[in-house]
């Protein structure tokens, strides 16, 4: 497969996944900002949301202060933000056009129809009342594209490069959510397990569609250390770091079986997968949760860099 084709398929799926993740972060930020807080808590929540999305620095280069209205616009519509929902869907469509013949009709129509519909949405019309419905729409459209891909595409190199992009992006997003939110949401003036504390953790789990599955696994109230374990080490949780690297490991095996050599990216995927399989939550907390997640994010970023070298494609396309 040509490197340009592999690159476009990788980044097409990665941008689709990022659009969904940004909408999930925005919903979590919006819901938590509605809870009673003191001392500028709303501003702090949008600060953490921008940080989780990895766009705080670019936001502050444009805006003088952090407000909910500006943060929502920056995360959803501002094309100066390369990770806004609008920018991500545009980049995904541009990559899809490059490899149009590698996509099924269902995949292309799903993505193209979503992009067309988004052009008709006015940022000025995004009131607090309309925001939840719009965020639901983004998630439904990205899920439709993922369903079209999984249900119609050949299991060849194109499929595997697409899966690499999607699961690497998902792992990065989950790690950032846990890293930024964990210490922010540890209550300082509320008792652990209080009503506000519980609502906030439920909102974080809602951001990754995991509040019900958490209860199914643990049969207990939301506890910060349990939430961290659920989103990092549980292999049955579809957005956990462990689940993402289970599938990245399978995906890189698929490429190797198709006569792609086992290069540096494969070695790093395998070592990160083994780290997640062998880790225990008690050991992670003892060594430092932030340190563990920082190391993980660095590893995940290095996989992207190694893929660019191994398969000769750009780190962003």
């Amino acid at each position: 497969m040509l490197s340009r084709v592999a690159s476009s398929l990788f980044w097409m799926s990665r941008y689709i996944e990022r659009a969904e993740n940004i909408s999930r972060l925005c919903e979590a930020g919006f819901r938590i900002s509605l809870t009673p807080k003191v001392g500028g808590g709303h501003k702090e929540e949008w600060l953490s949301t921008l940080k989780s999305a990895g766009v705080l620095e670019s936001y502050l280069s444009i805006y003088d202060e952090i407000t909910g209205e500006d943060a929502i616009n920056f995360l959803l519509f501002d094309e100066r933000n390369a990770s806004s929902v609008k920018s991500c869907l545009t980049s995904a469509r541009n990559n899809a056009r490059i490899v149009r013949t590698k996509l099924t009709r269902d995949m292309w129509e799903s993505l193209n129809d979503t992009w067309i519909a988004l052009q008709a949405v006015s940022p000025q019309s995004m009131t607090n009342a309309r925001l939840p419905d719009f965020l639901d729409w983004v998630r439904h459209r990205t899920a439709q594209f993922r369903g079209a891909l999984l249900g119609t595409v050949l299991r060849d190199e194109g499929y595997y490069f697409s899966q690499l992009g999607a699961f690497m992006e998902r792992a990065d997003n989950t790690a950032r959510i846990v890293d930024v939110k964990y210490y922010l949401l540890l209550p300082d003036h509320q008792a652990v397990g209080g009503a506000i504390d519980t609502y906030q953790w439920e909102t974080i789990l809602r951001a990754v569609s995991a509040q019900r599955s958490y209860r199914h696994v643990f049969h207990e109230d939301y506890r910060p250390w349990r939430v961290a374990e659920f989103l990092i080490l549980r292999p049955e949780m579809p957005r956990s770091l462990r689940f993402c690297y289970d599938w990245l490991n399978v995906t890189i095996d698929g490429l190797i079986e198709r006569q792609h050599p086992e290069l540096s990216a494969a070695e790093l995927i395998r070592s990160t997968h083994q780290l997640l399989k062998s880790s225990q939550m008690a050991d992670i907390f003892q060594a430092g949760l932030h340190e563990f997640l920082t190391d993980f994010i660095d590893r995940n970023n290095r996989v992207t860099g190694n893929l660019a070298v191994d398969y000769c494609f750009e780190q962003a396309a």
Side-chain angles (χ1 to χ4, degrees), residues 130-144:
R130 291 193 60 191
L131 180 62
D133 287 340
F134 175 76
L135 297 175
D136 281 343
W137 177 82
V138 173
R139 290 195 298 276
H140 290 160
R141 298 300 299 192
T142 55
Q144 182 187 71

Side-chain angles (χ1 to χ4, degrees), residues 8 129 241:
S8 292
L241 306 188

Side-chain angles (χ1 to χ4, degrees), residues 177-213:
I177 287 178
V178 178
D179 188 33
V180 173
K181 301 292 186 182
Y182 182 81
Y183 291 107
L184 174 72
L185 293 184
L186 283 177
D188 51 4
H189 60 279
Q190 296 284 337
V192 174
I196 292 178
D197 179 44
T198 298
Y199 177 80
Q200 289 174 328
W201 282 110
E202 181 181 5
T203 300
I204 296 307
L205 288 168
R206 185 190 297 272
V208 291
S209 296
Q211 73 273 27
R212 291 186 180 179
S213 54

